[in-house]
């Protein structure tokens, strides 16, 4: 039997294992722990940024525009969560990322174009709040934080 014909059994890596204290048993668990910490940090930054921008828009524009922004930002948080779940399954259950997350934005923009109370631009900019979070994270890691230490095999 050649090497290409042998079945490869993936090792299960679940959130419960990493939270139960098995971080040091496998490198995959350590990587997943780092992934969960990154996800929590990005989610926290997104929520704080959303709150700051929501209040600012409410003060400088109107409550209606601020609520439209908030709707888009909440959709961006749901998108970020769906992306994290998709990345979490990558390698174990799936071989590539799905593209169904974009349907969330498309449905929201279509709904905004049909309903008179909703405005497309604040919703779209609210959705992009998670992108601003990624920019903040990259700038912070690149210029402020110490460079990450490479793990030795």
């Amino acid at each position: 039997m050649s090497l290409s014909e042998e079945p490869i059994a993936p090792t299960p890596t679940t959130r419960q294992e990493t939270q139960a204290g098995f971080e040091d048993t496998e490198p995959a668990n350590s990587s997943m722990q780092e992934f969960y910490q990154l996800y929590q940090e990005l989610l926290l930054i997104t929520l704080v940024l959303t709150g700051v921008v929501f209040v600012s828009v409410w003060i400088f524009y109107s409550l209606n525009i601020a609520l439209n922004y908030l709707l888009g930002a909440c959709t961006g948080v749901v998108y970020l969560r769906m992306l994290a779940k998709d990345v979490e399954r990558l390698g174990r259950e799936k071989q590539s990322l799905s593209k169904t997350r974009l349907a969330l934005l498309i449905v929201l923009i279509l709904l905004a174009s049909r309903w008179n109370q909703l405005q497309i631009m604040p919703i779209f900019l609210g959705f992009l709040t998670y992108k601003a979070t990624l920019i903040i994270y990259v700038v912070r890691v690149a210029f402020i934080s110490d460079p990450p230490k490479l793990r030795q095999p």
Side-chain angles (χ1 to χ4, degrees), residues 30-103:
S30 169
S31 297
M32 288 307 291
Q33 186 67 27
E34 290 174 16
F35 169 74
Y36 292 129
Q37 288 174 351
L38 174 63
Y39 170 66
Q40 292 293 326
E41 184 176 353
L42 291 177
L43 191 61
L44 179 66
I45 293 171
T46 303
L47 292 175
V48 168
L49 191 59
T50 297
V52 168
V53 173
F54 172 74
V55 170
S56 300
V57 170
W58 189 0
I59 291 170
F60 292 109
Y61 291 100
S62 69
L63 178 61
N64 186 30
I65 293 176
L67 289 174
N68 280 285
Y69 166 80
L70 187 62
L71 178 63
C74 289
T75 305
V77 168
V78 170
Y79 180 88
L80 184 64
R81 181 169 165 75
M82 290 171 69
L83 179 63
K85 290 290 183 184
D86 211 17
V87 169
E88 182 181 24
R89 290 186 200 114
L90 192 63
R92 287 186 309 185
E93 302 167 14
K94 296 170 34 172
Q95 297 301 317
S96 65
L97 295 174
S98 68
K99 304 201 182 359
T100 58
R101 294 179 312 277
L102 277 181

Side-chain angles (χ1 to χ4, degrees), residues 86-141:
D86 211 17
V87 169
E88 182 181 24
R89 290 186 200 114
L90 192 63
R92 287 186 309 185
E93 302 167 14
K94 296 170 34 172
Q95 297 301 317
S96 65
L97 295 174
S98 68
K99 304 201 182 359
T100 58
R101 294 179 312 277
L102 277 181
L104 189 66
L105 177 64
I106 292 168
V107 167
L108 185 64
I109 296 298
L110 286 174
L111 182 66
S113 68
R114 298 286 181 197
W115 200 2
N116 291 337
Q117 301 293 349
L118 297 178
Q119 298 176 4
I120 295 174
M121 189 58 82
I123 290 174
F124 183 68
L125 292 175
F127 178 79
L128 293 180
T129 302
Y130 84 95
K131 292 284 191 179
T133 299
L134 296 176
I135 292 170
I136 290 169
Y137 177 78
V138 167
V139 167
R140 186 179 62 80
V141 168

